[in-house]
Amino acid sequence: MGRLLTTIEHAVKKPVWGCSMCGQCVLHSTGLTCPMNCPKKLRNGPCGGVREDGGCEVDPDMTCVWLKAQGRSERMPRTWREEFDDLRPPVDSRLQGTSSWVNLLTGRDKHVPAGWQPDEEE
Ligand code: SF4
C-alpha cells in the first residue's frame, strides 16, 4: 500500500510542483511552492545571496524559490498564510523517497532531531 501511495503521490506532485519526494511535505505553508527546488534545500526562507533582480545565487536563471513562496503565500487561505512564518524543522533525509501522505497519517513527519525546538511563544 505504501509503495502504491508513493507512486501516486509522485505522479500527482512531480508535474505540478517539481516534487522530489522529501517525505515531509510543507507545500501548504509555502504558498504551494516546493522548497526542495531551492538549490540549497532551505526550508525557512531565502539565503543571503538573493540577487537584486530576485534571481537565485546558485542558479541565476531561476527566481529565488522563497521570493515566489512569499508572494504566493499571500494569496493562500488565512490559516496557510499564517503558517508561512512558522519555523519548519530540518529535512529528515531518512524520509527521502517515501510518501509524505503516509508519513502524515502515521505522524512520522512530526519527528524532529533531538534537541531541536521550534520557536517558543513569547
Ligand atoms: S515539500 Fe517534499 S513532498 Fe512536498 S512537494 Fe516538495 S519534495 Fe514533494
Side-chain angles (χ1 to χ4, degrees), residues 1-120:
M1 186 64 174
R3 183 173 288 190
L4 178 62
L5 281 174
T6 302
T7 302
I8 295 170
E9 181 176 343
H10 197 214
V12 170
K13 290 162 80 176
K14 170 75 176 164
V16 182
W17 294 291
C19 174
S20 57
M21 299 298 283
C22 73
Q24 295 166 290
C25 200
V26 291
L27 281 174
H28 59 280
S29 64
T30 57
L32 298 179
T33 306
C34 174
M36 302 310 285
N37 289 316
C38 164
K40 297 182 182 180
K41 310 281 186 243
L42 299 179
R43 301 278 272 197
N44 286 300
C47 68
V50 184
R51 294 170 190 265
E52 269 186 44
D53 65 356
C56 169
E57 176 182 54
V58 178
D59 180 354
D61 291 334
M62 68 183 279
T63 300
C64 170
V65 163
W66 282 99
L67 285 187
K68 289 195 273 189
Q70 180 169 25
R72 291 172 179 168
S73 73
E74 288 165 7
R75 298 192 293 273
M76 291 288 112
R78 187 170 168 203
T79 313
W80 288 3
R81 193 168 62 236
E82 289 173 351
E83 283 185 29
F84 185 77
D85 294 328
D86 290 352
L87 185 62
R88 284 167 283 277
V91 179
D92 185 342
S93 56
R94 291 170 295 186
L95 296 179
Q96 179 62 45
T98 64
S99 167
S100 69
W101 297 343
V102 172
N103 296 330
L104 176 68
L105 289 172
T106 62
R108 176 62 182 84
D109 63 343
K110 300 289 185 296
H111 294 196
V112 296
W116 188 86
Q117 293 284 333
D119 274 347
E120 299 287 333

